[in-house]
Amino acid sequence: MNIDEAARFLLSHDDFEILTHAYPDGDALGSGFGLCLALRQLGKNARVIYTNLPKDFEFLTEGVTEQSFEAGTIVSVDVADEKLLGSNREKYQGRIDLCVDHHRINKVEAPLKYVDPGAAANCEILFELFGRMNVKLTKQIANCLYTGISTDTGCFKYGNTTSKTLRVAADLLDLGIDAPWINKVMFDTKTKLKLKLEQEIYGTIEYYSNDRCAIIAATLDMQKRLGVGDDELEGLASIPRQIEGVLIGITMREKESGVFKVSVRTDRRVNAADFCARFGGGGHAEAAGCTVKGTLDEAKAQLKRAVDGVL
Amino acid sequence: MNIDEAARFLLSHDDFEILTHAYPDGDALGSGFGLCLALRQLGKNARVIYTNLPKDFEFLTEGVTEQSFEAGTIVSVDVADEKLLGSNREKYQGRIDLCVDHHRINKVEAPLKYVDPGAAANCEILFELFGRMNVKLTKQIANCLYTGISTDTGCFKYGNTTSKTLRVAADLLDLGIDAPWINKVMFDTKTKLKLKLEQEIYGTIEYYSNDRCAIIAATLDMQKRLGVGDDELEGLASIPRQIEGVLIGITMREKESGVFKVSVRTDRRVNAADFCARFGGGGHAEAAGCTVKGTLDEAKAQLKRAVDGVL
């Protein structure tokens, strides 16, 4: 379907439940709450379904009060695969009416899909969609969209940023959003604990394949010892990729004993989504994720074998 | 003078020497080489005068061959004060014909000045100026301008970023520049040595004034022990400001025994330029610098007294 058809679908339906993926990021939550506010502005019922809400993203929920209604229409935003719905998967799998997404590898099974892999963020799609729907962009909706766009592009740093992305962001800035504050919270704020964690993580860096791969790991033991949780562990993934000469940066985070959530960030010469697909994961060309099981050493060995396969 | 007068001045003169400030950053060098290429495209002689060229910025000089000519016109770019000319100060002080800058506190004494403090970067001014001069924006000129704009805004992250800044960047992207590569080099590349330095610097963090101030220090001793130079020490300044709750982040770098180059980054509630002015320095509202003399403890004590004065 094209974007006008997606707009017409949203305009002609009601009682929306908006699904985001588990471990939601700025684009998932910005898309969810932005769309929710837009639909409510049009007089419709809408709520966002999410697995958890990291503290830094709470500002996105401003003005989104509880609404009591029977769900009629299910829309997923920024969800590349129903597997990524986490604890909401069982309830919603196979029930999505409309899927709006920007992941090239989108595998959601839904009767209606609008997927634009050229969009840097799902929120960039929503900006255009809201224009077609004659949604008035309030400051709060603009905050949601800006948050999604800035977080998915690393504040306009990554290769997915197009001139259109920048112009959309310019239009959002003109709506009076507090972009410097959002950016500071998203990109330039670290707790003391986070600094301690980074100091420790730097000590775990392991180079592999002639230093073209760097691996860091946050074991459960380390997490417990430092007392760090999701808030601190977010964002570690950018560390190994930054090292000069590294083509594949791998971040291993032990979620439960023997289960590692793995984030892969790559130079453009290596496809991160393909890499993670070997482990049943997925994502973007330069940023993807998967889960690997085993002890730290076993999981690392599996990942190294995969590195050997691509380098 | 207004921007059209600045354009006319450049169009009607020749044999340019373009001055940048000492310890040049992306905006100084992007402005210098961007203007040099623009003037040469118009058939004029031009060269850039700089104190040093960090390795990461070498790509800005592409296509700028040596030209032999007698200097006729001196233009300064991104220079807020002739004091900042470093080793070029003696030769050029009082000789600047045209000063183009974006620092509100500009103190350059020149007969002609075009200062636009609303511009996020000096390169943003040049983008507009080149338009008035009918300069064709080649990819290399666009690379120079983009580098200045992205580095001075922390890749569009800081409060100086306006919607105009984003639209200028969008126009530059449309010229086919390799923004992801530039951004990776500028913001997302660390040598192994830099990582080691950061790990060590994290250990020097000192909190002050109920944790509203954080101070880090790279002594000569540490620099020698780790074998780090200018390349690694650049960018440390963002570390203390990032810590949650910190309003004043201070980075001390011992340049020679008992002489500290101090970088101050502040929350918007504190003016960094005013803070540094107490020590004879200056800069922007949220990012400024100065020099403080004494032992590490003495220099720190002076800085803390100044912190007491503003918090």
Side-chain angles (χ1 to χ4, degrees):
Chain A
M1 85 193 304
N2 65 36
I3 194 161
D4 284 314
E5 288 162 343
R8 275 199 297 275
F9 177 87
L10 292 168
L11 289 171
S12 60
H13 287 72
D14 202 348
D15 299 322
F16 289 93
E17 284 196 330
I18 304 162
L19 288 180
T20 61
H21 57 77
Y23 304 112
D25 56 10
D27 196 27
L29 294 167
S31 291
F33 290 103
L35 179 56
C36 183
L37 286 166
L39 292 168
R40 289 187 183 188
Q41 185 190 104
L42 299 172
K44 298 174 186 298
N45 291 321
R47 69 169 72 94
V48 186
I49 308 293
Y50 50 91
T51 53
N52 63 300
L53 181 69
K55 182 172 153 284
D56 282 349
F57 293 123
E58 280 172 8
F59 75 99
L60 296 173
T61 70
E62 204 183 297
V64 183
T65 48
E66 286 265 321
Q67 277 190 336
S68 170
F69 62 89
E70 193 80 32
T73 314
I74 315 290
V75 181
S76 70
V77 288
D78 199 42
V79 177
D81 192 314
E82 282 154 293
K83 280 184 203 159
L84 304 173
L85 291 172
S87 53
N88 293 314
R89 180 176 178 186
E90 202 178 342
K91 180 168 177 196
Y92 290 99
Q93 178 142 30
R95 288 187 52 211
I96 297 169
D97 299 299
L98 169 65
C99 160
V100 179
D101 188 28
H102 72 121
H103 294 89
R104 194 176 299 279
I105 53 136
N106 186 290
K107 287 182 183 150
V108 171
E109 294 193 17
L112 298 171
K113 289 173 71 164
Y114 179 70
V115 178
D116 177 5
N122 197 68
C123 280
E124 189 179 317
I125 298 175
L126 293 188
F127 178 86
E128 197 171 339
L129 193 58
F130 292 173
R132 315 277 171 130
M133 292 163 69
N134 286 317
V135 170
K136 183 187 173 321
L137 291 181
T138 61
K139 187 173 161 183
Q140 181 61 12
I141 292 177
N143 275 338
C144 289
L145 298 187
Y146 181 85
T147 301
I149 294 171
S150 68
T151 52
D152 254 27
T153 58
C155 213
F156 314 104
K157 205 164 56 180
Y158 303 146
N160 58 347
T161 307
T162 66
S163 57
K164 184 179 166 188
T165 313
L166 291 167
R167 289 191 183 101
V168 168
D171 288 350
L172 295 171
L173 241 62
D174 281 335
L175 294 165
I177 61 168
D178 198 357
W181 179 83
I182 294 173
N183 293 335
K184 182 146 180 23
V185 173
M186 295 297 134
F187 305 106
D188 272 346
T189 304
K190 283 181 187 167
T191 58
K192 291 180 183 180
L193 201 53
K194 177 76 186 263
L195 275 186
K196 264 260 162 286
L197 172 67
E198 288 190 358
Q199 198 177 357
E200 188 106 1
I201 279 288
Y202 284 175
T204 74
I205 297 178
E206 185 180 334
Y207 295 97
Y208 185 66
S209 189
N210 287 325
D211 296 358
R212 292 175 302 171
C213 170
I215 307 176
I216 60 174
T219 58
L220 274 180
D221 171 63
M222 183 198 296
Q223 296 170 41
K224 273 179 205 148
R225 182 161 41 80
L226 296 176
V228 293
D230 284 347
D231 283 356
E232 288 78 26
L233 291 158
E234 273 306 311
L236 287 183
S238 62
I239 292 175
R241 195 192 66 118
Q242 286 182 6
I243 303 167
E244 201 170 29
V246 166
L247 305 182
I248 306 183
I250 298 178
T251 302
M252 304 175 66
R253 172 183 167 188
E254 199 170 9
K255 292 292 294 180
E256 51 188 278
S257 186
V259 181
F260 290 88
K261 190 186 166 215
V262 176
S263 298
V264 177
R265 300 287 181 273
T266 56
D267 179 90
R268 66 182 71 174
R269 280 163 281 181
V270 179
N271 190 297
D274 290 349
F275 183 93
C276 289
R278 291 163 178 247
F279 298 96
H284 300 280
E286 297 181 23
C290 58
T291 298
V292 179
K293 289 177 182 173
T295 64
L296 177 60
D297 285 344
E298 288 163 2
K300 223 181 246 183
Q302 291 179 60
L303 289 162
K304 285 180 180 174
R305 272 196 298 278
V307 169
D308 288 335
V310 294
L311 283 188
Chain B
M1 84 194 305
N2 65 37
I3 194 162
D4 284 315
E5 288 163 343
R8 275 198 297 276
F9 177 87
L10 291 168
L11 289 171
S12 60
H13 287 72
D14 202 347
D15 299 322
F16 290 92
E17 284 196 331
I18 304 163
L19 288 180
T20 61
H21 57 76
Y23 303 113
D25 55 11
D27 196 27
L29 294 167
S31 291
F33 289 103
L35 180 55
C36 182
L37 286 166
L39 292 168
R40 289 187 182 187
Q41 185 190 104
L42 299 172
K44 298 173 187 296
N45 291 320
R47 69 170 72 96
V48 186
I49 308 293
Y50 50 91
T51 54
N52 62 300
L53 181 70
K55 182 171 153 284
D56 283 349
F57 293 124
E58 280 172 9
F59 75 99
L60 296 173
T61 69
E62 204 183 297
V64 183
T65 47
E66 286 265 322
Q67 277 190 339
S68 170
F69 63 89
E70 192 81 30
T73 314
I74 315 292
V75 181
S76 70
V77 288
D78 199 43
V79 177
D81 192 315
E82 282 153 291
K83 280 184 203 160
L84 304 173
L85 291 173
S87 54
N88 292 315
R89 181 176 178 186
E90 204 180 341
K91 180 168 176 195
Y92 289 98
Q93 178 141 28
R95 288 188 53 211
I96 297 170
D97 297 300
L98 168 66
C99 160
V100 178
D101 188 27
H102 72 121
H103 294 88
R104 195 176 298 280
I105 53 136
N106 186 290
K107 286 183 183 147
V108 171
E109 293 193 18
L112 299 171
K113 289 173 71 163
Y114 180 70
V115 178
D116 177 5
N122 197 69
C123 279
E124 188 179 317
I125 298 175
L126 292 188
F127 178 87
E128 198 171 337
L129 193 59
F130 292 172
R132 315 275 172 130
M133 292 164 69
N134 286 317
V135 170
K136 182 186 173 323
L137 291 182
T138 60
K139 186 172 161 185
Q140 181 61 11
I141 292 177
N143 275 338
C144 290
L145 298 187
Y146 181 85
T147 301
I149 293 171
S150 68
T151 52
D152 254 28
T153 58
C155 214
F156 314 104
K157 205 164 56 181
Y158 303 145
N160 59 347
T161 307
T162 66
S163 57
K164 184 178 165 188
T165 312
L166 291 167
R167 289 192 183 100
V168 168
D171 288 349
L172 294 172
L173 241 62
D174 281 336
L175 293 165
I177 61 167
D178 197 358
W181 179 83
I182 293 174
N183 293 336
K184 181 144 181 22
V185 172
M186 296 296 135
F187 304 106
D188 272 347
T189 303
K190 283 180 189 169
T191 57
K192 291 181 182 178
L193 202 52
K194 177 76 187 265
L195 275 186
K196 264 260 161 284
L197 172 68
E198 288 190 358
Q199 198 177 357
E200 188 106 2
I201 278 288
Y202 284 174
T204 74
I205 297 179
E206 184 180 334
Y207 295 97
Y208 185 66
S209 188
N210 288 324
D211 296 357
R212 292 176 301 172
C213 171
I215 307 176
I216 59 174
T219 57
L220 275 180
D221 171 61
M222 183 199 295
Q223 295 169 41
K224 274 180 207 150
R225 183 163 40 80
L226 295 176
V228 293
D230 284 349
D231 283 357
E232 287 79 26
L233 292 158
E234 273 307 310
L236 288 183
S238 62
I239 292 174
R241 194 191 68 116
Q242 287 182 4
I243 303 167
E244 201 171 30
V246 166
L247 305 182
I248 306 184
I250 298 178
T251 302
M252 303 173 68
R253 173 183 167 189
E254 199 170 8
K255 292 293 293 182
E256 51 188 279
S257 185
V259 180
F260 289 88
K261 190 183 166 216
V262 176
S263 298
V264 177
R265 299 288 180 274
T266 57
D267 179 271
R268 66 181 72 175
R269 282 163 279 183
V270 179
N271 190 297
D274 290 350
F275 183 94
C276 288
R278 291 163 179 246
F279 298 96
H284 299 281
E286 297 182 23
C290 58
T291 298
V292 179
K293 289 178 183 173
T295 63
L296 176 61
D297 285 345
E298 287 162 2
K300 224 182 243 183
Q302 291 179 59
L303 290 163
K304 285 180 179 174
R305 274 197 296 278
V307 169
D308 288 335
V310 294
L311 284 188

